[in-house]
Amino acid sequence: MRLPTTRNEEYRFTDLSPLLRAKLTPANGAAAVSAEVVQGLVPTDVSCVVLVNGVFSAERSHLSMLPPGVYVGGLAGAPKEAV
């Protein structure tokens, strides 16, 4: 993916050099927070989708209150009609 430059109107006054110098690494998905901690933070009568380092965590999420037809998860497990 190409980053925008100052020649792109939307980024004309945006200095991206700090981003280019940063050593970015992909998240490994490991979590420092337990499912018990998440359960203590979220009421049980609502749905809660938990992302850990940008990765969906089914064991920490509470999805039982989702309306019928709503799917939360990876593309590989998505129903055919959702894809």
Side-chain angles (χ1 to χ4, degrees), residues 5-14:
T5 69
T6 54
R7 292 182 183 196
N8 299 100
E9 180 64 29
E10 299 85 6
Y11 293 90
R12 191 174 64 193
F13 300 110
T14 305

Side-chain angles (χ1 to χ4, degrees), residues 1-82:
M1 184 173 105
R2 201 178 111 250
L3 289 174
T5 69
T6 54
R7 292 182 183 196
N8 299 100
E9 180 64 29
E10 299 85 6
Y11 293 90
R12 191 174 64 193
F13 300 110
T14 305
D15 180 12
L16 295 177
S17 60
L19 180 62
L20 296 173
R21 287 192 303 268
K23 302 283 188 206
L24 303 176
T25 58
N28 64 9
V33 63
S34 67
E36 293 78 28
V37 170
V38 173
Q39 288 173 351
L41 296 173
V42 179
T44 56
D45 60 341
V46 298
S47 295
C48 174
V49 176
V50 177
L51 303 176
V52 177
N53 289 332
V55 178
F56 171 63
S57 176
E59 60 275 359
R60 290 172 182 81
S61 297
H62 184 245
L63 306 176
S64 62
M65 300 298 292
L66 287 175
V70 174
Y71 170 76
V72 176
L75 187 58
K80 277 187 172 180
E81 59 272 5

